[in-house]
Amino acid sequence: MARRPLPRILSSGSASITRSREIARTAADSATDVLHPLITVVRGLRLLAVSGRQKWVATPKERRGPKLLLGAACVLVVALAPYGPILALVTVMGAAAWKGRERTPVRTGPDDAETARLRSLYEALVPYFSTPDDPDPLFAHGGDWGKAFEGYAFDADGRLTRLRVSYPAYFTDGEPAARSRIEQLLHTKSGRGREYHFGWDEEANRLVMTVLDALPTTIAAQRFVTAPGETVLGFTDPDAVSRTVPVRDGDLTVDASPVVWRTGGRSTEPHLLAVGQPGGGTTTLVRSIALQALRDGDVIVVDGGGTGEYGALAGRGGVLAVESGLGGALATLEWAAHETERRLIAANRARQSGHPVPDDIRRPLWILLDRPGALGHLAAADGRPDPLELLRIPLRHGRAAQVTVVLAEQFDALDTLTETVRTHTRARAVIGPASREQIEAVLGAEPHTTPPPGVPAGRGYVRLGTGPVLRLQVPATPDPYDDATSDAHRQAVLDLLPDRHPPMEAAPTREPADEGPATEQVPVAVEAAARPVGSVPVETMVAEARPSEPLAKAQPAGAES
């Protein structure tokens, strides 16, 4: 039996219905555009009415009468005022339009991409935070990541900037190896190239991962607001220290969080050891410390690298010597050992007699050594004593004698450091790129952050004694005589340098005897300073080396014994 064709009205009706729907939708959109202001005002009036009703309900009954009286008085004043009703109507319409305006909806949860990232991170943590014996595991494959991740935040690129993780109580969070595995995993899954801070709360079984902002590199050398005996090593995160100092950052004055190193008789970390890679910024740190030490102390600089990085300090007021040769370095360090002994004897005699310590004893003496290992190799080849052996007395007794030692060495020469240096340098710094193992070997503890792959000059970590490991950014203190230095940084360093010494007379020399072979004319003070420690009585040594100008005559820059 042949099928009957459908009636015409049914076969062509779908096209007409579709056309009618499009016309109706277009008319509705046009009406919405035309009536949009009216819709906004009506929505605002409704919101104002709801807000007014809520405030009226929240008002106590004993205060409703005075409020009604006040409202009636306001209505009467508006009604009697010229153009009052019109102004009141305009005001109400304006408030309604502002209240009913369309607002951008606030996102209350992660989007699809962020949800996928959180779920992937949750699945990656399952092998570390779960065990087959757990009847109700917090971490399980295909589980609810919302229970484990209590808080999270993303940046504009959709990468994690903060994550709060709740982990089971049986996780071994007290073992550094277990914690390191979790930190490495979160660092890898959250994105490389950034520095993360991990805060472990063992009592509450919580881990907070935060992306750290880069430390400012635009702060140059300047006069820092510090007390006597305080030295600013650099700047760190605002929440790491409880102190700020005003600093100049370009043309602005801002508050920065400093890492303050305290020296002197009551310091528990009287000496500093800085370790880094070539070009990492250890020399910048030593130069910054020297400029701050010259405010109220004397400085001795031994440049083992011999690169002339401290040439701007030579001949300046308060700078007793700047040595780069082996002979001059040995003579200078031997004089520093004698001076430490003299200060100890003078201070002890003053205390026994009930007198105050002399001013020359209270004036700090800073011994700054950059790459002493290079001089140690030269001394071993020449059969002369290691310069680090001459630091035994300043390192052991320098705190009582107001003598501070700062050493800067590279990682490849750490094995040349003596046991005395390792024991008495309780303030440690790692400057430049370094791995977690290298940082732990120097500081004695791992940092709570992930070292970034690339760091600017002067960026590193510091630990004072048994304190926490802090991030550090050394103030920009370049060599002012370097052609690559910017004019602003060069002028900042030159402004901190003291004036140069006045011209000095030639040092007295000992005339050769008439008989016997001719001997080289050597300054008497240099010959006295070159004697080994303990070869002469202390009284004779003290009489020969006075504190007023011990190196002005004995150690001109570049002198060789």
Side-chain angles (χ1 to χ4, degrees):
M1 180 178 179
R3 293 183 180 180
R4 286 185 176 184
L6 293 174
R8 180 176 180 83
I9 186 173
L10 296 179
S11 62
S12 62
S14 58
S16 302
I17 293 174
T18 303
R19 193 180 310 107
S20 301
R21 288 177 180 176
E22 293 179 356
I23 294 174
R25 188 180 296 108
T26 303
D29 294 340
S30 302
T32 302
D33 294 339
V34 173
L35 301 177
H36 184 268
L38 180 59
I39 296 173
T40 302
V41 172
V42 172
R43 186 190 303 119
L45 290 174
R46 181 179 60 83
L47 294 176
L48 289 176
V50 172
S51 178
R53 183 178 180 278
Q54 292 176 353
K55 291 183 178 179
W56 176 259
V57 172
T59 303
K61 294 183 179 181
E62 62 272 11
R63 295 184 181 180
R64 292 182 179 180
K67 281 193 173 183
L68 284 176
L69 182 61
L70 180 61
C74 292
V75 172
L76 181 61
V77 171
V78 170
L80 296 179
Y83 305 103
I86 297 178
L87 294 177
L89 180 61
V90 172
T91 303
V92 172
M93 292 296 103
W98 176 259
K99 190 73 174 179
R101 72 189 188 279
E102 293 182 355
R103 299 180 178 88
T104 303
V106 179
R107 193 179 65 177
T108 58
D111 56 18
D112 295 339
E114 295 171 352
T115 301
R117 183 181 291 270
L118 291 174
R119 179 168 296 279
S120 173
L121 188 58
Y122 173 83
E123 294 291 338
L125 291 173
V126 168
Y128 303 94
F129 285 150
S130 63
T131 177
D133 300 334
D134 191 352
D136 186 16
L138 182 61
F139 284 82
H141 292 293
D144 184 10
W145 58 266
K147 296 181 180 180
F149 298 157
E150 300 178 350
Y152 45 83
F154 293 86
D155 58 8
D157 298 331
R159 298 197 301 173
L160 275 170
T161 58
R162 180 180 175 84
L163 180 65
R164 181 182 176 91
V165 183
S166 175
Y167 57 87
Y170 52 76
F171 175 71
T172 56
D173 52 5
E175 299 179 2
R179 294 166 56 155
S180 179
R181 287 194 297 267
I182 300 300
E183 294 175 2
Q184 181 66 25
L185 175 62
L186 292 176
H187 175 210
T188 304
K189 293 294 183 179
S190 301
R192 298 181 180 272
R194 299 183 297 175
E195 194 165 3
Y196 296 86
H197 177 269
F198 298 95
W200 291 85
D201 186 0
E202 293 86 352
E203 295 181 355
N205 299 322
R206 300 290 186 274
L207 169 61
V208 179
M209 182 191 69
T210 309
V211 177
L212 297 175
D213 297 330
L215 295 176
T217 59
T218 55
I219 300 178
Q222 55 192 278
R223 298 286 185 188
F224 300 114
V225 181
T226 55
E230 294 182 345
T231 303
V232 175
L233 299 180
F235 300 93
T236 185
D237 300 300
D239 57 348
V241 294
S242 58
R243 177 177 175 179
T244 59
V245 295
V247 296
R248 295 192 310 273
D249 189 356
D251 298 333
L252 302 176
T253 300
V254 298
D255 290 335
S257 302
V259 178
V260 178
W261 174 40
R262 293 174 177 85
T263 58
R266 298 184 179 180
S267 173
T268 57
E269 304 88 21
H271 309 296
L272 173 70
L273 172 63
V275 184
Q277 300 287 356
T282 54
T283 301
T284 300
L285 176 60
V286 175
R287 191 183 296 110
S288 175
I289 293 175
L291 294 179
Q292 298 180 61
L294 288 174
R295 296 175 57 180
D296 55 358
D298 297 326
V299 173
I300 296 174
V301 180
V302 176
D303 183 11
T307 57
E309 293 283 346
Y310 304 94
L313 297 175
R316 301 283 180 173
V319 181
L320 303 183
V322 178
E323 297 292 345
S324 58
L326 178 60
L330 292 176
T332 300
L333 295 178
E334 192 166 357
W335 175 88
H338 293 326
E339 176 65 10
T340 304
E341 289 183 341
R342 186 196 69 80
R343 289 185 174 216
L344 290 174
I345 296 173
N348 186 36
R349 289 176 177 175
R351 295 189 183 97
Q352 290 181 355
S353 60
H355 295 90
V357 179
D359 294 338
D360 64 317
I361 305 300
R362 290 183 294 179
R363 183 172 175 84
L365 174 63
W366 293 73
I367 305 175
L368 311 179
L369 294 90
D370 193 353
R371 295 195 63 190
L375 294 177
H377 290 296
L378 295 178
D382 200 19
R384 309 177 83 172
D386 189 352
L388 294 179
E389 293 295 334
L390 301 176
L391 293 176
R392 288 185 294 115
I393 296 177
L395 286 173
R396 291 177 178 177
H397 308 288
R399 179 173 60 179
Q402 297 294 324
V403 177
T404 303
V405 179
V406 177
L407 293 97
E409 192 53 90
Q410 297 181 3
F411 279 106
D412 56 0
L414 281 180
D415 55 345
T416 62
L417 299 180
T418 62
E419 187 64 26
T420 305
V421 172
R422 297 176 182 271
T423 303
H424 294 280
T425 52
R426 292 174 48 83
R428 302 287 183 88
V430 176
I431 309 299
S435 62
R436 295 178 67 93
E437 292 75 14
Q438 290 177 324
I439 297 173
E440 184 181 7
V442 176
L443 303 184
E446 288 188 354
H448 293 290
T449 61
T450 56
V455 295
R459 173 69 173 82
Y461 296 89
V462 65
R463 189 187 187 197
L464 303 179
T466 58
V469 179
L470 305 176
R471 294 202 304 166
L472 179 70
Q473 178 62 52
V474 180
T477 315
D479 182 9
Y481 296 160
D482 189 358
D483 296 336
T485 303
S486 63
D487 294 337
H489 289 171
R490 178 184 293 107
Q491 191 60 40
V493 175
L494 292 177
D495 292 341
L496 297 178
L497 289 174
D499 297 334
R500 293 190 177 275
H501 286 298
M504 296 181 297
E505 298 179 358
T509 57
R510 180 180 300 166
E511 297 295 336
D514 294 338
E515 62 275 8
T519 57
E520 182 182 0
Q521 295 183 355
V522 181
V524 177
V526 173
E527 183 179 355
R531 301 170 187 168
V533 179
S535 62
V536 296
V538 175
E539 291 79 3
T540 305
M541 176 270 298
V542 172
E544 291 180 351
R546 309 309 301 175
S548 58
E549 45 181 0
L551 292 185
K553 296 180 180 180
Q555 293 297 323
E560 298 285 344
S561 63

